[in-house]
Amino acid sequence: MNFDFSDDQKAIQEQARSMLAAQCGTDRVRTVIDGKKSMDRELWQQVAELGWTATAIPESCGGLGLSHLELCVIAQELGRSLAPIPFIASIYLASELIQLAASADQQQSWLPDIASGSDIYTVALDGAKPGSAAPSCNYANGLLNGEKTTVLQGCEADYAIVAALDAQQTLQLLKVELNQAGVERQTQDSLDPTLPRAQIRFTNAQCTPLEGTLPPAEACRTLYDRAAVLLAFEQVGGCEAAIDMAKAYTSDRYAFGRQVASFQAIKHKLADMFVAKELAKSNAYYGAWALASGADALPLAAATARVSATDAYWLCSKENIQAHGGMGFTWEFDCHLYYRRAQALSLMLGGNPYWKNLLVDRLLAA
């Protein structure tokens, strides 16, 4: 495979990087970390006005009609800046699932509000991925009952796509308005408050089944693969930011009359971070190619990108703390912000052990 992003896509990435550098400093991230707000709604409105939320949504549904490649380069910059907005929940997950599993009329009705950023969506899909326990919600006579836990942006979202079993014990995907009387939401503690979680209880909640032709289980499998690639780009962006922080600090810091960066032990740490990041970036590019081209290699490429990017982000965020020495463990330095995000992303979509097992299965199948 010989793949690279086009000049136009690189220009979008540079514009995204410039905008986020100017508008999304770590002071705004810390406002959410400190619990003063659950998300940065001003930043969310800004990215919506720039069209980022509409990037990979068809023009017929109010979007820009661009490809997943443009979404990948935006994801990389959102990961670099730790943007505290519901982009993962609403765009990578809910928007993609609606495009996979909803009817054409439903897509044309729901997607324009996602594209404009006026409605925030999330998903609650426990029980929808292979090998997991049955969904904890039941659907009958147009009503949803049950409970979902650790729902990403569950308290911030206006709507959720929920996996549930009907009376015939068949998996269904349902759109649920979360601001109705039959829905109770409670915030759960999170290692990374910029990716908040919620527990949601449904009691005779009104809902609408997604009526697309793709079976719900297959739609969820495809969604997980697509989201794995997009998350890999967020993780690569986080790796790059952590490496830049470590390089800058160790280059400016002196000990025994020498730059800390000149010490062999620090050089080795930085080299290990760089190698892990480049491996993750290479696999993410492979995933982007498979995602954009519709290649049969997407499941294997997605698992490879997901595993390598998760491992790389964990290493880079951890070693960034070490490179800062004792100061790296303090609240005042920003190292812990990236470590939090690395850990939170590693738990999404089933967690890294799930993806490592899946990668082995797919390699054997190939």
Side-chain angles (χ1 to χ4, degrees):
M1 184 198 72
N2 185 16
F3 168 81
D4 195 6
F5 292 101
S6 69
D7 290 341
D8 287 343
Q9 289 157 355
K10 290 178 181 178
I12 291 173
Q13 183 172 14
E14 287 300 322
Q15 291 169 355
R17 183 177 302 182
S18 176
M19 177 272 189
L20 290 168
Q23 301 296 328
C24 186
T26 53
D27 56 331
R28 297 184 73 159
V29 178
R30 284 178 177 272
T31 300
V32 176
I33 290 284
D34 291 336
K36 296 177 182 177
K37 57 174 71 173
S38 61
M39 61 172 280
D40 193 326
R41 293 190 178 273
E42 295 81 6
L43 181 61
W44 178 248
Q45 184 172 352
Q46 285 179 293
V47 302
E49 290 173 353
L50 288 171
W52 296 2
T53 51
T55 300
I57 294 176
E59 290 183 275
S60 60
C61 298
L64 297 179
L66 301 177
S67 73
H68 286 99
L69 295 181
E70 285 79 10
L71 199 54
C72 285
V73 297
I74 291 172
Q76 188 170 343
E77 298 313 312
L78 290 172
R80 182 193 303 274
S81 67
L82 302 176
I85 55 177
F87 211 87
I88 295 174
S90 199
I91 306 305
Y92 304 163
L93 297 174
S95 172
E96 291 295 321
L97 186 55
I98 289 171
Q99 293 181 61
L100 287 166
S103 67
D105 289 342
Q106 289 175 331
Q107 292 182 42
Q108 291 174 358
S109 175
W110 302 341
L111 288 174
D113 289 331
I114 297 179
S116 68
S118 59
D119 283 344
I120 297 172
Y121 277 66
T122 188
V123 299
L125 301 179
D126 65 306
K129 75 174 187 289
S132 61
S136 53
C137 288
N138 297 296
Y139 165 69
N141 302 318
L143 301 175
L144 178 65
N145 286 277
E147 185 176 278
K148 296 289 186 180
T149 60
T150 62
V151 179
L152 182 62
Q153 311 281 170
C155 286
E156 293 72 36
D158 303 296
Y159 298 92
I161 307 300
V162 179
L165 294 177
D166 62 17
Q168 289 74 41
Q169 299 298 294
T170 301
L171 181 67
Q172 298 287 345
L173 294 174
L174 313 163
K175 177 194 172 188
V176 186
E177 183 181 356
L178 298 179
N179 297 309
Q180 59 174 294
V183 178
E184 298 177 31
R185 297 187 272 181
Q186 182 176 356
T187 301
Q188 295 179 310
D189 291 337
S190 174
L191 176 66
D192 183 1
T194 65
L195 295 175
R197 307 291 183 130
Q199 178 178 335
I200 306 179
R201 182 181 295 276
F202 304 100
T203 305
N204 292 328
Q206 300 284 338
C207 56
T208 304
L210 274 63
E211 299 175 343
T213 57
L214 193 65
E218 185 177 347
C220 289
R221 282 195 296 270
T222 304
L223 170 70
Y224 271 60
D225 288 338
R226 290 185 180 184
V229 174
L230 296 169
L231 282 182
F233 275 90
E234 284 229 0
Q235 291 167 310
V236 167
C239 288
E240 291 176 338
I243 293 172
D244 289 344
M245 285 180 63
K247 286 168 56 181
Y249 183 81
T250 56
S251 295
D252 292 340
R253 186 77 172 174
Y254 281 76
F256 308 107
R258 294 171 53 193
Q259 284 180 311
V260 172
S262 68
F263 297 158
Q264 188 177 46
I266 298 299
K267 289 180 180 179
H268 286 181
K269 285 184 179 295
L270 292 172
D272 288 343
M273 293 165 71
F274 179 79
V275 169
K277 184 265 294 184
E278 286 298 299
L279 176 61
K281 187 175 180 179
S282 176
N283 285 320
Y285 272 44
Y286 180 43
W289 165 81
L291 178 57
S293 64
D296 293 338
L298 176 60
L300 179 57
T304 305
R306 173 68 175 156
V307 169
S308 62
T310 299
D311 286 348
Y313 201 2
W314 175 82
L315 175 70
C316 290
S317 64
K318 176 178 70 74
E319 294 295 2
N320 181 38
I321 295 174
Q322 297 292 331
H324 281 72
M327 299 303 295
F329 291 86
T330 64
W331 184 264
E332 290 74 19
F333 274 60
D334 292 334
C335 305
H336 65 94
L337 303 180
Y338 289 91
Y339 187 78
R340 289 168 181 266
R341 180 62 69 90
Q343 299 304 310
L345 290 180
S346 73
L347 298 173
M348 288 187 182
L349 306 180
N352 208 30
Y354 166 77
W355 283 95
K356 287 185 176 181
N357 289 331
L358 192 60
L359 175 57
V360 171
D361 292 341
R362 289 176 175 177
L363 283 170
L364 291 173

